[in-house]
Amino acid sequence: MKFNLSIFAIMKTQYHITKTAISNSFVLSTQKHSIQDFVFLLLGYFFYGLISVSAQNQPLKTYTKNNGLPSLYIKSGTQDKTGYIWLASNNGLIQFNGNEFTTFTTKNGLISNNVNTISSKENTIFIGTDKGLSIKSHHGFTNFEGNNVNCILTVKNRTFLGTNKGIVRVREDYLSPLRTNFQIDLNQVNDMVFDGKFYWIATNKSLWKLDKLINPKTLKRIDVNNYTSLLIDEKTVIATTYNKGLKFIRNNEVETQTITAQNVIEIKKINNQFWVISEDNGIEVLDANFNFVKNINKYNTLTTNEITSAFQDNENNTWVSTKDKGVYFIKSDKSVQKKPTISFENIQVVFTTLDSININNYNKTLQLPANKNHISFSYKTININNSNKLEYRYTLNDKKSPWSTKSAIDLAYLAPGNYTFLAQSRIGKTKSDPIEFSFFIDTPIYKKSWVIWSSVGLACLILTLIIWSYIRRIQAKNKTKVAKLELENYLISLEQKALQLQMNPHFIFNVLNGIKALGNSGKSAELNTTISKFATLLRGVLHNSRQEEISLAEEITTLKNYIELEQQMNSNTFEYSIITNLTIDSEEILIPPMLIQPFVENSIKHGISSVENGKIEINFSAKKDLLHCEIVDNGIGVHQSKELKKVSSHKSVALKVTQERIQNLSKKSTISINEIYNEEKIIGTKVLFKIPLKTDF
């Protein structure tokens, strides 16, 4: 319920009081007094009413459940640095911004809905409840379970609680009971103050003075009584007792002043006056010299006498809390227009509150990664008397927004770089000092100059490697081609050498001399056979020399002609045999020409030339895609043959050339020349070579 208490309403109240008094006085006057005394009495009540009306004529509002309060039982109140009004009720913690009330309960994280007392430091709210302490900061509640909290004192960044069982210190994550004196530790602490040197403790049994709350050296009981509230005015400690008046402590001396109010629970200094609050008799107002000024109660100003507390805000307005009527707001008639103050309420980065820093006292530049480029600012100015006249604007890197009633802004998808955000408020033409917050958004890694240049360098390196690899491949191909051509030329050269070796003049002269001898001896049949074989050999050699590959059958035919001619020309007789152990027809197997003849020639000329009944055996077989050729003789052996070659002037390179030809045919090609032993005696030589098995299908 909101209303302005008019003179008419006050006079109406005074009328009822005066009417009752006149009725009673009339009865008395008819019995004991004259008509003249009655008239003087009537005039006295009239002038008293006028004086009372004049004294109590102040603008007044009442806030109840109709305005958003969760309860009519308001126990105490305070104001934080921003300007929010905070009220303690039996149904939660209440915040007021000048326009509306917001209630915090256990659903929001409060330890208990039954709030006894509240205190503020900067924008941190300490909430004393029947179940311990809650501390509210901009990011939520921190709770400490404990006894019923009656008062809160913060001195030098230390917070102490007065509870139903002594004094408790608030530590980082728990409440620590202090051991001072059993008469304090076991009793109800109603209030605590610090005068800069000593702590004053008001309990329900006595008043105490301590030099320290933790391990005190000075601990003195000043007086025995039910002390309810403490106030320090200059160098005087003013204490209230429940029913024994006010106590003044000066130089450890206690003075008592009697007051009319009973059941006193609190004293506050408001507008240079002392308000003595009674829990069921309203408020008794005393001047600076503690002389009676007036009463504020249900008979003249309020609608209830059940007052719980009172405090004055930073605009000199007075707030009176009650047990059953909510809270009264008495607007100051001496209100001075002050410069508004603004503060940050919340800063969110990608919808997450910055709770690790003090956002209103952060002098550094907040460093943010590239993906944290969505920032929300919420700021507020609280002015109870001009809550509907507030306007705001913000500045981002010298770019200003227009003035509006909006007190929050979302800055999304900000580009990388340095930013300075400023917020300012105004009431009419009076502007607040701006508040500032600096932050830096990092450049995405893919946009950093070193990454770009590194990428360019890497791309150039990759391109260089590709070009280099391409050139190397071309060079390798060319080198392979050159090597292939060189190999082909080398093989051709070897084949030419083999042809030259096979057709050397010495062999031809021997055959021709043999033919001449046969003609002279008149052996015409043998002569014709020899000439035919020699002609066939020459034709085969000439034909094969022009081919890269010939069939194994052709090679065997040429080989037979050569061996048979050698048999005729050789003075020592010898035998030979050619065995083919093949699953493929020899006509279909391809081999290089003139590959076997040098080994046979070597056996004939150097192996069995000095052996009677010489034998040469030639075997062909196919195993695992390889053609095996084996040439075995019963001659003197390889080593003895080499010794004889050293003595002879004839230097044969046929064997060496043929070995090179075989080794260059393929990586799988192999050749071995070994002596054959029988009981450590050389009985011959075995030549074995393997070449890839090739067919013409």
Side-chain angles (χ1 to χ4, degrees), residues 465-494:
L465 290 174
I466 292 173
I467 295 173
W468 178 77
S469 177
Y470 178 72
I471 294 173
R472 286 293 300 271
R473 285 199 301 271
I474 292 176
Q475 290 176 341
K477 287 181 180 179
N478 293 336
K479 188 175 181 180
T480 302
K481 289 180 180 179
V482 171
K484 185 177 181 181
L485 291 173
E486 289 178 349
L487 179 60
E488 290 175 353
N489 290 334
Y490 181 63
L491 291 175
I492 291 172
S493 174
L494 290 176

Side-chain angles (χ1 to χ4, degrees), residues 383-414:
N383 190 290
I384 301 300
N385 294 337
N386 299 283
S387 59
N388 295 323
K389 297 180 181 179
L390 283 168
E391 291 183 309
Y392 303 89
R393 74 174 176 188
Y394 70 88
T395 304
L396 185 65
N397 285 0
D398 299 326
K399 187 176 180 180
K400 295 182 178 180
S401 71
W403 290 98
S404 70
T405 58
K406 187 178 180 182
S407 60
I409 185 66
D410 286 333
L411 304 174
Y413 305 109
L414 293 173

Side-chain angles (χ1 to χ4, degrees), residues 260 307 489:
T260 59
I307 310 302
N489 290 334

Side-chain angles (χ1 to χ4, degrees), residues 50 168-169 182 419 467 477 514 522 544 561 566 620:
L50 288 177
V168 173
R169 180 184 175 185
F182 77 94
Y419 291 90
I467 295 173
K477 287 181 180 179
N544 293 344
N561 289 329
E566 285 284 9
F620 293 98

Side-chain angles (χ1 to χ4, degrees), residues 444-479:
I445 189 167
Y446 61 87
K447 289 186 177 180
K448 290 181 180 290
S449 58
W450 67 269
V451 174
I452 294 173
W453 285 111
S454 298
S455 301
V456 172
L458 182 61
C460 293
L461 178 61
I462 292 173
L463 182 61
T464 302
L465 290 174
I466 292 173
I467 295 173
W468 178 77
S469 177
Y470 178 72
I471 294 173
R472 286 293 300 271
R473 285 199 301 271
I474 292 176
Q475 290 176 341
K477 287 181 180 179
N478 293 336
K479 188 175 181 180

Side-chain angles (χ1 to χ4, degrees), residues 184-316:
I184 298 176
D185 299 343
L186 299 179
N187 288 325
Q188 176 178 310
V189 177
N190 292 322
D191 203 2
M192 299 183 294
V193 294
F194 180 64
D195 64 7
K197 186 176 181 181
F198 293 101
Y199 292 87
W200 298 84
I201 311 299
T203 74
N204 61 333
K205 297 295 180 64
S206 54
L207 176 65
W208 296 84
K209 175 184 176 183
L210 291 77
D211 63 338
K212 294 185 295 183
L213 293 181
I214 303 172
N215 300 322
K217 295 180 179 179
T218 300
L219 196 155
K220 182 178 181 181
R221 185 170 64 184
I222 303 300
D223 187 36
V224 177
N225 219 312
N226 183 4
Y227 280 85
T228 57
S229 179
L230 297 170
L231 177 67
I232 296 177
D233 183 46
E234 296 180 355
K235 296 182 179 181
T236 301
V237 177
I238 305 169
T240 60
T241 62
Y242 193 65
N243 278 318
K244 298 296 182 179
L246 300 180
K247 303 290 184 176
F248 303 96
I249 298 93
R250 301 185 182 95
N251 299 322
N252 292 327
E253 296 293 329
V254 180
E255 300 177 11
T256 302
Q257 176 168 325
T258 304
I259 55 177
T260 59
Q262 297 295 308
N263 304 334
V264 176
I265 57 174
E266 190 174 56
I267 183 170
K268 289 291 183 72
K269 190 173 184 179
I270 297 174
N271 292 328
N272 205 33
Q273 294 177 327
F274 295 94
W275 287 32
V276 181
I277 299 169
S278 168
E279 65 178 354
D280 52 14
N281 291 314
I283 302 171
E284 184 174 334
V285 181
L286 307 177
D287 63 14
N289 297 317
F290 296 95
N291 297 315
F292 177 83
V293 175
K294 61 183 176 180
N295 285 322
I296 301 177
N297 51 41
K298 67 180 180 179
Y299 300 112
N300 51 35
T301 306
L302 310 177
T303 58
T304 181
N305 276 349
E306 296 186 8
I307 310 302
T308 57
S309 183
F311 71 95
Q312 195 169 31
D313 64 23
N314 57 18
E315 298 175 53
N316 295 328

Side-chain angles (χ1 to χ4, degrees), residues 346-594:
N346 195 16
I347 300 177
Q348 291 185 327
V349 177
V350 193
F351 310 108
T352 301
T353 298
L354 281 177
D355 53 7
S356 59
I357 62 173
N358 185 347
I359 58 177
N360 282 296
N361 192 25
Y362 190 73
N363 298 321
K364 301 178 182 179
T365 299
L366 182 67
Q367 303 292 320
L368 297 174
N371 61 332
K372 304 291 186 181
N373 61 346
H374 187 152
I375 303 178
S376 303
F377 290 92
S378 176
Y379 36 87
K380 194 73 173 178
T381 292
I382 302 298
N383 190 290
I384 301 300
N385 294 337
N386 299 283
S387 59
N388 295 323
K389 297 180 181 179
L390 283 168
E391 291 183 309
Y392 303 89
R393 74 174 176 188
Y394 70 88
T395 304
L396 185 65
N397 285 0
D398 299 326
K399 187 176 180 180
K400 295 182 178 180
S401 71
W403 290 98
S404 70
T405 58
K406 187 178 180 182
S407 60
I409 185 66
D410 286 333
L411 304 174
Y413 305 109
L414 293 173
N418 284 294
Y419 291 90
T420 299
F421 181 88
L422 292 91
Q424 194 175 20
S425 64
R426 73 177 181 182
I427 300 174
K429 294 183 179 181
T430 306
K431 300 177 183 177
S432 70
D433 293 328
I435 53 175
E436 179 179 314
F437 190 87
S438 298
F439 59 96
F440 170 77
I441 299 177
D442 199 6
T443 304
I445 189 167
Y446 61 87
K447 289 186 177 180
K448 290 181 180 290
S449 58
W450 67 269
V451 174
I452 294 173
W453 285 111
S454 298
S455 301
V456 172
L458 182 61
C460 293
L461 178 61
I462 292 173
L463 182 61
T464 302
L465 290 174
I466 292 173
I467 295 173
W468 178 77
S469 177
Y470 178 72
I471 294 173
R472 286 293 300 271
R473 285 199 301 271
I474 292 176
Q475 290 176 341
K477 287 181 180 179
N478 293 336
K479 188 175 181 180
T480 302
K481 289 180 180 179
V482 171
K484 185 177 181 181
L485 291 173
E486 289 178 349
L487 179 60
E488 290 175 353
N489 290 334
Y490 181 63
L491 291 175
I492 291 172
S493 174
L494 290 176
E495 290 173 358
Q496 290 175 347
K497 287 181 180 180
L499 177 62
Q500 292 171 358
L501 290 170
Q502 290 177 343
M503 295 300 294
N504 62 67
H506 178 72
F507 172 74
I508 295 172
F509 291 154
N510 284 341
V511 174
L512 292 177
N513 286 331
I515 293 171
K516 181 179 178 182
L518 289 173
N520 293 332
S521 62
K523 298 179 180 180
S524 59
E526 293 182 8
L527 176 63
N528 292 332
T529 301
T530 302
I531 292 172
S532 177
K533 289 181 179 179
F534 184 58
T536 302
L537 176 63
L538 289 177
R539 185 169 57 250
V541 169
L542 291 173
H543 175 268
N544 293 344
S545 65
R546 292 193 294 269
Q547 306 295 322
E548 291 184 3
E549 293 175 332
I550 62 173
S551 68
L552 179 60
E554 291 177 322
E555 181 72 6
I556 291 173
T557 300
T558 303
L559 192 59
K560 283 181 179 181
N561 289 329
Y562 169 73
I563 294 173
E564 289 175 358
L565 285 172
E566 285 284 9
Q567 282 178 326
Q568 289 181 337
M569 300 300 108
N570 204 309
S571 59
N572 294 329
T573 61
F574 65 90
E575 297 178 359
Y576 81 96
S577 62
I578 299 175
I579 302 170
T580 56
N581 185 17
L582 300 168
T583 58
I584 305 173
D585 191 345
S586 61
E587 291 284 348
E588 297 175 348
I589 298 175
L590 301 176
I591 64 171
M594 299 169 287

